[in-house]
Amino acid sequence: MAPQLDGYFKQVDSMSGHFIERLRKAVAIPSVSADEARRPDVVRMGEFLAQELKALGAHVEARLLGKQPGLEHLELPPVIVARYGNDKNKRTILVYGHYDVQPAGKEDGWATEPFELTIDDKGRMFGRGSTDDKGPVLGWLNAIEAHQKAGIDFPVNLLMCFEGMEENGSEGLDDFINAEAKKFFADTDAVCISDNYWLGTEKPCLTYGLRGVSYYSVEVSGPGADLHSGVFGGTAQEPMTDLVRILGGLVDTHGKIQIAGLDALVAPLTADEKDLYTNIAFTMDNLHESLGSQTTIFPDKERTLMARWRYPSLSVHGIEGAFSQPGAKTVIPAKVIGKFSIRTVPDMQPEDVDRLVFKHVNDHFKTLGSKNTMKVSLLHAGKWWVASPNHWNFSAASKATERVWGVKPDLTREGGSIPVTLTFEQATGKNVLLLPMGSSTDGAHSINEKLDKKNYIEGIKLLGAYLHYVAEEPLN
Amino acid sequence: MAPQLDGYFKQVDSMSGHFIERLRKAVAIPSVSADEARRPDVVRMGEFLAQELKALGAHVEARLLGKQPGLEHLELPPVIVARYGNDKNKRTILVYGHYDVQPAGKEDGWATEPFELTIDDKGRMFGRGSTDDKGPVLGWLNAIEAHQKAGIDFPVNLLMCFEGMEENGSEGLDDFINAEAKKFFADTDAVCISDNYWLGTEKPCLTYGLRGVSYYSVEVSGPGADLHSGVFGGTAQEPMTDLVRILGGLVDTHGKIQIAGLDALVAPLTADEKDLYTNIAFTMDNLHESLGSQTTIFPDKERTLMARWRYPSLSVHGIEGAFSQPGAKTVIPAKVIGKFSIRTVPDMQPEDVDRLVFKHVNDHFKTLGSKNTMKVSLLHAGKWWVASPNHWNFSAASKATERVWGVKPDLTREGGSIPVTLTFEQATGKNVLLLPMGSSTDGAHSINEKLDKKNYIEGIKLLGAYLHYVAEEPLN
């Protein structure tokens, strides 16, 4: 039975001005977690959230995580955890979001003041954090308030976990989630995260998979110090010569990874899965637009989506220690560190990837016959995540989306990582759903970040509707 | 007939304290040409030189070169030109040096104050500019003064050209030399530059050759802006993938340049020339010490010296536009610019080198099948220089060296470039000699730069003796 949501939707519409004001207040707090000088603003933003939640009658705790590793004079901003409702007969849904934002300044090229919510005649609400992730976080608060004002019973117990360091490494969060899994988060039945985006601008989606990442360094060193290429060129083996050869042997122009054995780790494509990609609302024009060029590997959307979501990729990011400035410097760098990473997918186990990468790089280096010293290392690894989109958590979200937006959502995966997703899945043992509010053009980490008014208001309806459907959905 | 130099030598020895004081005064002026804030000190150093020369009775002019290109609020420091003697019956020798220095600060790791000449118990005179190039420049002034004090007739007319921008690109100097070749420098019979170093620490040398350098950039671009490797990895052709392949195809670990046709441009090695390398005072231990490692390409000194002096080499310097910081950033750089250079030797014509490099890189890029855009460009080129060591200018210097140091000097070339050498040769049409004062361990551009007291005092004798021999040497 479809939940009776009409009253809730009407209430949201009637409070839309109030909800936009709440977003305006939040955007006005420049809670930039990567900027040491802004740390008090991050804390202030956490306090703002806590106050708003308390005013709504939630039980709220600001949990301190200690000092920031490596910057011990800095206190980490608190994780704001809250509970709204404690009815044993209701399901308990844990939602996650973050209240910190990326840096932003008018001097970066913003058309408006980044920390003043500015709405244009197309209903685009510009401001840092509008879509990432203050809009979605406030979405949950707004859903609670609209239920109260409309006198509609809140359908679930809502647990909330809002952090203030997402844009700066989520320091301390994994430990916190693991520690609270059997405490504050103990009665979680399912998890919902609203911190990603539609694949395009028109069609909503639910996201059930993310790629992992294994990030490597290759350090080659020889001379005791940087050398002058006039004096030493031709007489010393140069670390850069070895390094560019190794980096050049990792992947080809067409994205084909050259590391033997890696392909065999990838889950085979089934005919059923292959059919999924045809129906996704996505065109090569979308990709060309976001790339700003036509330099795609594949000409068709199916192979492109598969390459982004379900196949590994390898990117060479750069070199530390070499000459990287404009101009011409005749240096032979003494020690250079190449950086590359592999986006991983089911069923690649990170330790198998490491083993194959190390073997490939070591074997390649041996063929060079170099007297230099080479060391290949894993810098960090995050595992891929794939949830079952048939779980009741997803079917509830799908019904809610269809009810609000009038269309069945695409079931999508993403090429990037949201590490907290896997952390919540592993810590709680429950299904995790990614339920985006904003669209692909919101520019989360760019200048002129925005959230469309329509996505915000319909998004508030969606979050509330999801909670109604998730309360009723039969177990599967 | 050997010139009667005993009186001059005795005079130099008796004035050594005075000459060291003169060097102390010069080192105390921090004439760092690359530091905008130090520009007044550079000018002050030029004025100091001009005053000292005037006091010795020289005709001195401070020639202004105009504004510094790209930093038009900065006046270039003057070139100090001087003439000492104007006797039609004497040869006229043009000498060059520079009065500016590299940057230096205690915080870089200097054991002493860099701008205070500090003499240790081994007679090492530490101080920025001591060996590069204030010691040699003052050497000419000291030679004049010792002749005056000893009452010995100065054997030549001496033209001097001392610039203040050598460590910062010698801005404007080429034009100045070309303009003055038929004016202030018109009656030059030969040129002598004292601005390089012995090959080792024990045996003096005369230098008759330098390699040239052709410096290239390879720019690969694709997307409109930097991309996130999670979102775009596997779907877009990555400029870095193409660039590291191109850079990896230029040279191998053993220094073998992979550019077809380049070897054929190199003058063949004759049996006579080959024999020269055996007798040069140089050991692989010297090289290992200066490298700080054993990572040499060749195990023997002969091939090592040939590789440094008479064969081309290719060095990959770095990449602009890629991730170059410590840590791990998952960026796909949108535009990356690789930098490499080739040290050139006789008979390589720069335009032939360009042609072969452009063809090689373009051909390689075509084999990649990339949709990205690639552009290979020459950033700058300086030609190699080789003088005839049989010229009277060299035989005079050889005799002077044997007289002062008791040993025939090695005839050496250098792997690096001193572009002004070729400029003087071409502008004046006369033989140019490089006559070093300091030794290989002086650390010209490093911390703890020094000039040994013995090299300074014997060097003053050498410069004076050279002028006596060069005055008498028969034309050849």
Side-chain angles (χ1 to χ4, degrees):
Chain A
M1 185 195 75
Q4 296 307 308
L5 287 163
D6 294 345
Y8 170 65
F9 291 171
K10 268 187 200 152
Q11 189 66 42
V12 170
D13 282 329
S14 73
M15 295 176 76
S16 64
H18 171 64
F19 295 151
I20 290 168
E21 281 314 299
R22 179 173 273 148
L23 182 58
R24 188 187 306 279
K25 283 182 203 164
V27 166
I29 304 172
S31 52
V32 180
S33 53
D35 181 349
E36 210 172 300
R38 292 291 195 198
R39 188 57 52 90
D41 293 312
V42 182
V43 173
R44 191 154 59 89
M45 180 64 205
E47 285 163 358
F48 169 79
L49 265 188
Q51 287 306 322
E52 296 281 302
L53 282 162
K54 279 178 195 160
L56 293 170
H59 166 79
V60 186
E61 298 179 25
R63 297 291 196 89
L64 292 177
L65 301 181
K67 304 292 184 188
Q68 184 165 333
L71 290 168
E72 274 74 13
H73 60 288
L74 271 190
E75 194 78 36
L76 288 167
V79 177
I80 306 296
V81 289
R83 165 182 284 278
Y84 183 71
N86 200 354
D87 182 341
K88 294 285 173 221
N89 296 316
K90 290 178 180 173
R91 279 187 174 147
T92 300
I93 303 300
L94 168 58
V95 302
Y96 160 90
H98 63 92
Y99 62 82
D100 63 319
V101 298
Q102 284 274 319
K106 201 85 177 11
E107 65 281 8
D108 301 332
W110 280 72
T112 60
E113 284 297 333
F115 297 107
E116 281 177 23
L117 194 74
T118 309
I119 309 175
D120 74 1
D121 53 9
K122 291 177 183 159
R124 296 182 296 188
M125 306 190 292
F126 293 95
R128 177 56 90 215
S130 55
T131 195
D132 182 21
D133 185 34
K134 290 178 175 177
V137 163
L138 296 183
W140 299 110
L141 278 63
N142 297 338
I144 293 172
E145 192 176 14
H147 277 84
Q148 292 176 347
K149 287 275 159 49
I152 300 168
D153 184 49
F154 205 70
V156 300
N157 304 313
L158 196 66
L159 290 174
M160 287 160 272
C161 176
F162 299 136
E163 69 155 322
M165 280 290 280
E166 199 271 348
E167 304 293 5
N168 194 7
S170 290
E171 289 288 356
L173 188 71
D174 278 5
D175 289 345
F176 176 79
I177 292 170
N178 287 321
E180 295 299 329
K182 300 291 172 239
K183 296 186 202 164
F184 201 92
F185 305 147
D187 55 344
T188 299
D189 292 305
V191 181
C192 180
I193 298 175
S194 187
D195 187 23
N196 67 316
Y197 307 92
W198 295 356
L199 194 57
T201 57
E202 298 302 325
K203 196 172 177 192
C205 65
L206 312 179
T207 304
Y208 69 98
L210 298 166
R211 291 196 292 187
V213 63
S214 294
Y215 200 111
Y216 301 95
S217 69
V218 183
E219 178 183 308
V220 185
S221 58
D226 285 0
L227 304 174
H228 188 288
S229 68
V231 180
F232 292 98
T235 70
Q237 294 189 340
E238 303 187 13
M240 268 298 271
T241 303
D242 295 344
L243 182 61
V244 292
R245 295 209 147 205
I246 290 172
L247 296 178
L250 295 170
V251 63
D252 75 10
T253 296
H254 312 289
K256 169 84 186 138
I257 300 175
Q258 311 286 303
I259 298 166
L262 211 76
D263 282 351
L265 302 180
V266 178
L269 179 71
T270 64
D272 277 0
E273 188 199 331
K274 195 173 175 198
D275 288 345
L276 290 177
Y277 299 99
T278 313
N279 297 316
I280 302 285
F282 180 81
T283 68
M284 290 305 286
D285 284 346
N286 295 149
L287 180 59
H288 293 153
E289 192 183 337
S290 52
L291 269 182
S293 72
Q294 310 265 327
T295 56
T296 52
I297 292 177
F298 301 106
D300 57 294
K301 90 170 179 188
E302 289 79 5
R303 277 188 292 174
T304 295
L305 288 176
M306 283 190 267
R308 178 185 289 192
W309 293 349
R310 65 103 56 226
Y311 283 117
S313 63
L314 190 154
S315 296
V316 179
H317 306 296
I319 297 173
E320 180 185 342
F323 175 55
S324 61
Q325 301 299 307
K329 185 179 177 186
T330 54
V331 66
I332 299 176
K335 184 170 92 172
V336 285
I337 306 172
K339 314 275 179 79
F340 69 96
S341 68
I342 298 176
R343 296 284 162 175
T344 55
V345 296
D347 301 315
M348 301 168 84
Q349 299 303 313
E351 51 280 9
D352 291 335
V353 177
D354 294 350
R355 185 174 44 79
L356 294 174
V357 166
F358 295 163
K359 179 171 165 36
H360 173 89
V361 172
N362 281 308
D363 288 353
H364 191 170
F365 184 69
K366 273 191 206 109
T367 68
L368 301 181
S370 176
K371 296 175 188 171
N372 291 316
T373 303
M374 192 280 295
K375 196 171 71 188
V376 52
S377 317
L378 176 76
L379 290 189
H380 69 74
K383 212 182 161 186
W384 45 265
W385 163 81
V386 178
S388 165
N390 300 319
H391 190 276
W392 53 262
N393 195 25
F394 277 83
S395 50
S398 181
K399 287 173 187 170
T401 304
E402 197 167 357
R403 176 75 184 263
V404 170
W405 289 102
V407 59
K408 262 195 185 319
D410 277 336
L411 282 168
T412 65
R413 287 157 71 165
E414 292 214 354
S417 310
I418 308 177
V420 74
T421 310
L422 190 64
T423 307
F424 275 120
E425 182 183 281
Q426 292 177 336
T428 65
K430 305 297 178 180
N431 181 277
V432 181
L433 157 75
L434 302 186
L435 181 59
M437 177 181 273
S439 80
S440 66
T441 54
D442 284 359
H445 287 199
S446 305
I447 56 168
N448 303 324
E449 176 183 345
K450 59 89 177 164
L451 175 63
D452 289 341
K453 191 173 154 185
K454 184 168 180 183
N455 280 61
Y456 183 50
I457 301 302
E458 299 307 302
I460 297 164
K461 294 179 188 171
L462 174 63
L463 298 183
Y466 156 70
L467 296 176
H468 280 274
Y469 282 100
V470 90
E472 295 196 351
E473 199 66 11
L475 290 179
N476 58 352
Chain B
M1 185 196 74
Q4 296 306 308
L5 286 163
D6 293 347
Y8 170 64
F9 291 172
K10 267 187 202 155
Q11 189 67 43
V12 171
D13 282 329
S14 73
M15 293 177 76
S16 63
H18 171 64
F19 294 152
I20 290 168
E21 281 313 299
R22 180 174 271 149
L23 182 57
R24 189 188 304 280
K25 282 182 201 162
V27 165
I29 303 173
S31 53
V32 180
S33 53
D35 181 351
E36 210 170 300
R38 293 290 195 197
R39 188 57 55 89
D41 293 311
V42 182
V43 173
R44 190 154 61 88
M45 180 64 207
E47 286 164 357
F48 168 80
L49 265 188
Q51 287 306 323
E52 297 281 304
L53 281 162
K54 279 178 196 160
L56 293 170
H59 166 79
V60 186
E61 298 178 25
R63 296 292 196 88
L64 292 177
L65 300 182
K67 305 291 184 188
Q68 184 164 333
L71 290 169
E72 274 76 12
H73 59 289
L74 272 188
E75 194 78 38
L76 288 167
V79 177
I80 304 298
V81 289
R83 166 181 284 277
Y84 183 71
N86 201 354
D87 182 340
K88 293 284 171 222
N89 296 316
K90 290 179 180 173
R91 280 187 174 148
T92 299
I93 303 299
L94 167 59
V95 303
Y96 160 89
H98 63 91
Y99 63 81
D100 63 322
V101 298
Q102 284 274 319
K106 201 84 178 9
E107 65 280 10
D108 301 331
W110 280 71
T112 61
E113 284 297 333
F115 297 106
E116 281 177 22
L117 194 74
T118 309
I119 309 175
D120 74 1
D121 53 9
K122 292 176 182 161
R124 295 182 297 189
M125 306 190 292
F126 293 96
R128 177 56 90 215
S130 55
T131 195
D132 182 21
D133 186 35
K134 290 179 175 177
V137 164
L138 296 184
W140 299 111
L141 278 65
N142 297 337
I144 293 171
E145 192 177 14
H147 277 84
Q148 292 176 346
K149 287 277 158 51
I152 301 169
D153 183 48
F154 206 70
V156 300
N157 304 313
L158 195 65
L159 290 174
M160 288 161 271
C161 175
F162 300 136
E163 71 156 321
M165 280 289 281
E166 200 270 348
E167 304 293 5
N168 193 9
S170 290
E171 290 290 354
L173 188 71
D174 278 4
D175 289 347
F176 175 79
I177 293 170
N178 287 320
E180 295 298 329
K182 301 289 170 239
K183 296 186 204 164
F184 200 91
F185 305 146
D187 54 346
T188 299
D189 292 305
V191 181
C192 179
I193 298 176
S194 187
D195 187 24
N196 68 318
Y197 308 91
W198 295 356
L199 195 55
T201 56
E202 298 302 325
K203 195 172 176 192
C205 65
L206 311 179
T207 304
Y208 68 97
L210 299 166
R211 291 196 291 187
V213 63
S214 294
Y215 200 110
Y216 301 95
S217 68
V218 184
E219 177 182 307
V220 184
S221 58
D226 285 359
L227 304 174
H228 188 286
S229 69
V231 180
F232 292 98
T235 71
Q237 294 189 339
E238 303 186 13
M240 268 297 271
T241 304
D242 295 344
L243 181 61
V244 292
R245 295 207 148 208
I246 290 171
L247 296 179
L250 295 170
V251 64
D252 74 11
T253 296
H254 312 290
K256 169 85 187 138
I257 299 175
Q258 311 287 303
I259 297 166
L262 210 75
D263 283 350
L265 302 180
V266 178
L269 179 70
T270 63
D272 277 359
E273 188 199 333
K274 195 174 175 199
D275 289 344
L276 290 177
Y277 300 97
T278 313
N279 297 317
I280 302 285
F282 180 78
T283 67
M284 290 305 286
D285 283 347
N286 295 149
L287 179 59
H288 294 152
E289 192 184 337
S290 53
L291 269 182
S293 72
Q294 310 266 325
T295 55
T296 52
I297 291 177
F298 301 106
D300 56 294
K301 90 169 180 191
E302 288 79 6
R303 276 187 293 173
T304 294
L305 288 176
M306 284 191 264
R308 179 185 290 191
W309 293 350
R310 65 103 57 227
Y311 284 117
S313 63
L314 189 154
S315 297
V316 179
H317 306 296
I319 297 173
E320 180 185 342
F323 174 55
S324 62
Q325 301 299 307
K329 186 177 176 187
T330 54
V331 66
I332 298 176
K335 184 170 93 171
V336 285
I337 306 172
K339 313 275 179 77
F340 68 95
S341 68
I342 297 176
R343 296 283 162 177
T344 55
V345 297
D347 299 316
M348 301 168 83
Q349 297 304 315
E351 51 281 10
D352 291 335
V353 177
D354 294 349
R355 184 175 44 79
L356 294 175
V357 165
F358 295 163
K359 178 170 166 38
H360 173 89
V361 172
N362 282 307
D363 288 353
H364 192 170
F365 184 70
K366 272 190 206 111
T367 68
L368 301 181
S370 177
K371 297 175 187 169
N372 291 317
T373 304
M374 192 281 296
K375 196 172 70 186
V376 52
S377 317
L378 176 75
L379 290 189
H380 69 75
K383 211 181 163 187
W384 45 265
W385 164 80
V386 178
S388 165
N390 300 319
H391 189 276
W392 53 264
N393 196 23
F394 277 83
S395 49
S398 182
K399 287 175 187 171
T401 303
E402 197 168 355
R403 176 76 186 263
V404 170
W405 288 103
V407 60
K408 260 195 185 320
D410 277 336
L411 281 167
T412 65
R413 287 158 70 165
E414 291 214 355
S417 312
I418 308 177
V420 75
T421 310
L422 190 64
T423 307
F424 275 119
E425 182 183 281
Q426 292 176 335
T428 65
K430 304 296 178 180
N431 182 276
V432 181
L433 156 76
L434 302 186
L435 180 59
M437 176 182 273
S439 80
S440 66
T441 54
D442 284 358
H445 287 201
S446 305
I447 56 169
N448 304 323
E449 175 181 347
K450 59 92 178 164
L451 175 62
D452 291 341
K453 191 174 155 185
K454 183 168 182 183
N455 280 62
Y456 184 50
I457 301 303
E458 300 306 303
I460 296 164
K461 293 179 189 170
L462 174 63
L463 298 183
Y466 156 71
L467 296 177
H468 280 274
Y469 282 101
V470 91
E472 296 197 349
E473 199 65 13
L475 290 179
N476 58 352

